Amino acid sequence: MYQIQFLKIFQGANTKAWEFEIPPHPSVNSLFKRILDIMGGIIGLLILAVVFIPIAIMVKLDSPGPIFFTQERYGLYGKTFIICKFRSMVTDAEKLKNLVKNESEGLIFKNKDDFRVTKIGRFLRSSSLDELPQFWNVLVGQMSLVGTRPPTADEVIQYNQRHWQRLNVKPGLTGEWQINGRSHIKDFEDVVDLDLQYQSKWHPMYDVFVIFKTIYVIVARIGAF
């Protein structure tokens, strides 16, 4: 059976739509993967409960504004959901984005010395602690422990059909991009290559491998800024 994908994205005056059929990726209906996600989601939320108060205090003392940053993202087959992270930038970061040079190519935005990132934010990002609230998205099934980076509307509206294939699996807290360079990957086409590589290599135990390698990458602080 094929999954019919249909998506309309409204971005200002622009509208873009796709409709095509693809075979469902085996990870989507994997019971093992879902059980792994539930277990990981519970463990992640327990860790969040332990570190929440000290992180919240640090975020508030470092920069005025909310503790969390929320944003609409696109997940499996283009279904939208809201992610939540610990805030790592100043509150008016989006308004200041045009003052920051994009050091990446394509549909991603990166700058190693982005002045909008707070002092505590740099620590949270390099340690991936800012991602902890997303374990809720994993637990409820909007995300997976392992998958692709969930894009924003301003990215997806510029996708071609090859890019769209990234969303044939659930978005993940980690993935090939996380264990193969993280912030040092500066070309969006390389990100797409890694995401499609994950889809071709996937089997249930491969997720376990990616999770353990992610832990190593985070502890060793490889490739993040």
Side-chain angles (χ1 to χ4, degrees), residues 42-54:
I42 293 172
I43 293 172
L45 290 175
L46 290 174
I47 296 172
L48 173 62
V50 173
V51 302
F52 174 79
I53 292 178

Side-chain angles (χ1 to χ4, degrees), residues 145-206:
L145 292 176
V146 185
T148 183
R149 186 185 68 85
T152 58
D154 60 342
E155 297 172 24
V156 175
I157 197 170
Q158 301 180 67
Y159 274 11
N160 58 37
Q161 188 162 330
R162 175 176 180 270
H163 300 155
W164 178 246
Q165 293 178 57
R166 302 178 67 240
L167 302 184
N168 291 346
V169 298
K170 283 185 180 181
L173 278 176
T174 186
E176 293 286 349
W177 50 272
Q178 181 84 356
I179 64 176
N180 289 290
R182 299 176 78 185
S183 296
H184 291 303
I185 300 175
K186 295 185 176 182
D187 189 327
F188 177 67
E189 295 304 326
D190 291 338
V191 174
V192 176
D193 288 342
L194 288 170
D195 287 335
L196 298 185
Q197 175 182 304
Y198 167 74
Q199 294 184 27
S200 65
K201 292 166 61 175
W202 183 85
H203 57 81
M205 292 307 297
Y206 187 68

